[in-house]
Amino acid sequence: MAEAQHVSSDIAFTPTVKAIQARKGSRDAYARVERNGGWSTTIDDNLAAFLRTQTSVLLATASADGQPYIQHRGGPAGFLHVLDEHTIGLADFKGNQQFITQGNLAENPKAYLFVIDYAHRRRIKIWGRAKVIEGDPELIARLMPKGYKARPEQAILFEVAAWDSNCPQHIPQKFDAADVAAAITSRDIRIAELEALLAAATKARE
C-alpha cells in the first residue's frame, strides 16, 4: 500500500483531526486543499505586507511534556520583521523576566504565531519553529523599532513551516485608540473649516 502523501497542512491536521473532520462533514473540503498542496509554506508579498502593519501578535509554545503557553508580543507597526521568505524576526523587549517562552523553546522549538487584525477582521495562523538569540547586538539593533522606547533583551527568530488565513466570521471589529483619535481630530478640523466657510458666507449676505 502506497504511503500517504504529506502536505503542509498536516502540521495541524493530524490523523485524529482528519477523522473528526470526516465524522463532522468537513473533510472533503480540506482534502481539496490538500490535493492542491495544502497551506502556503513561504512568506509571500501579501503576508509580508500584512505583518508589517501589525502591532500585536500571540506567540504560542509548549514545554517538553506538552504544557502550552501563550505570550503576547507587541510594538509599533513594523516590529515584526520579514527577514526572508521563511523567517520572521522580532526584538524581545525586557518584561517580567519569567522566561517561560524561552524555557519552552529551549526544550521544544515548535511554535505558533496568531496574528489578528480587528480593524479589517482578518486573522493569520502561522506554524513553525522558533529560537531565542542572545548576545547578538547587531541582530537586535536590526530588529529594534526606530524611536521605540523599550529595552531589547534578546531576539526571537521564527521559521515558518506553514500558514493559513481564517475567515472573518465572529471577529469583532475594533480599532486602535490612536487611529480613532486621528479620525476624530480629522473630523473636528473639517467641522471647523465648514463652520468658518458658513460664517464667511453668512457675513457676506449681511
Side-chain angles (χ1 to χ4, degrees), residues 97-137:
Q97 296 190 297
Q98 291 183 340
F99 302 116
I100 299 173
T101 294
Q102 185 170 357
N104 284 351
L105 291 176
E107 298 178 338
N108 176 8
K110 291 182 179 179
Y112 173 89
L113 294 178
F114 186 78
V115 194
I116 185 164
D117 180 350
Y118 287 101
H120 299 95
R121 301 179 69 230
R122 186 183 182 196
R123 52 191 169 188
I124 300 290
K125 306 178 295 185
I126 309 174
W127 288 262
R129 299 167 69 87
K131 60 183 177 182
V132 173
I133 306 295
E134 297 181 280
D136 190 337

Side-chain angles (χ1 to χ4, degrees), residues 22-54:
R23 178 166 59 83
K24 295 195 172 186
S26 61
R27 178 90 285 268
D28 287 347
Y30 290 119
R32 286 195 293 272
V33 175
E34 292 165 358
R35 286 194 291 271
N36 291 322
W39 294 330
S40 297
T41 58
T42 57
I43 303 170
D44 61 18
D45 291 342
N46 289 332
L47 178 57
F50 175 80
L51 293 175
R52 281 195 294 269
T53 65
Q54 300 311 301

Side-chain angles (χ1 to χ4, degrees), residues 51-52 54-56 73-81 89-94 138-155:
L51 293 175
R52 281 195 294 269
Q54 300 311 301
T55 58
S56 181
R73 289 288 186 269
F79 87 101
L80 293 173
H81 295 258
L90 63 151
D92 194 18
F93 309 132
K94 187 176 179 63
E138 183 177 341
L139 175 62
I140 292 174
R142 179 183 176 188
L143 298 177
M144 188 65 192
K146 289 181 174 60
Y148 189 55
K149 295 183 179 180
R151 180 181 170 186
E153 188 166 27
Q154 51 204 11

